[in-house]
Amino acid sequence: IKLIFAGSLNAINVPSLIKEQNLSKETIITGYIEDDLYRGILSSSDIIVNLRYPTMGESSATLCEALSYGKATIVSNIGPYKEYPDNVCWKVDMGDYEVPMLVAFMERLLCDKNLREVLGNNGKAYANNVLNIERVVLDYIEILDKD
């Protein structure tokens, strides 16, 4: 198992936590990466964890991309991420139960390839049907034409 932090880290204590937990051999922190490498990491991953706190109501390109790649995905149960169906991505509650929930979700997904595939396939179907850029453009056109 490899834990990959793809992109820049916002939490400055992550490297010290990795050392403290003796996870240096299992962990890669990429820092800023080009799009091709980023997509390669997404496509080769089994599970994507996309925790966001705090949130200002923004969408996550990483979440949309992870779903479109058909990856089992775990997100924070906050803001706009609450709107995603439970069969598309699993949501970790914020607060005292955040870490235990994340650990339980990770253990379950790591031990059950079929479950990862089902969750990933659900996410991919959702991305294709709901997040599809052509569909979104048509929705905008329809809304604008109503005026």
Side-chain angles (χ1 to χ4, degrees):
I1 295 175
K2 288 285 184 190
L3 175 62
I4 301 173
F5 289 90
S8 301
L9 287 178
N10 293 333
I12 56 175
N13 63 338
V14 170
S16 60
L17 287 171
I18 291 167
K19 285 182 184 177
E20 181 182 300
Q21 297 296 318
N22 295 318
L23 295 172
S24 295
K25 291 180 182 176
E26 295 85 6
T27 306
I28 299 168
I29 300 174
T30 67
Y32 175 81
I33 53 176
E34 296 294 329
D35 288 344
D36 289 343
L37 180 55
Y38 167 74
R39 285 189 210 98
I41 290 170
L42 272 182
S43 68
S44 64
S45 297
D46 293 316
I47 302 168
I48 306 294
V49 178
N50 187 16
L51 302 179
R52 302 283 179 120
Y53 180 81
T55 181
M56 294 171 49
E58 72 280 2
S59 295
S60 168
T62 301
L63 174 57
C64 296
E65 291 167 345
L67 296 176
S68 72
Y69 276 90
K71 301 301 176 176
T73 306
I74 301 171
V75 298
S76 300
N77 192 17
I78 189 171
Y81 311 108
K82 288 183 173 191
E83 296 175 16
Y84 285 83
D86 292 338
N87 70 337
V88 166
C89 56
W90 286 358
K91 300 170 197 123
V92 173
D93 292 334
M94 306 304 297
D96 293 341
Y97 298 105
E98 181 178 12
V99 172
M101 280 184 81
L102 179 58
V103 169
F105 286 174
M106 291 292 295
E107 286 176 344
R108 183 73 199 279
L109 289 170
L110 286 169
C111 292
D112 192 336
K113 182 179 179 183
N114 290 331
L115 181 58
R116 284 195 314 266
E117 288 176 357
V118 167
L119 187 59
N121 289 337
N122 290 347
K124 188 170 190 168
Y126 183 84
N128 289 338
N129 295 321
V130 178
L131 305 177
N132 179 291
I133 190 67
E134 287 84 13
R135 178 175 175 234
V136 172
V137 167
L138 291 174
D139 288 346
Y140 276 115
I141 290 170
E142 182 180 330
I143 290 168
L144 293 172
D145 282 345
K146 287 183 180 182
D147 289 342

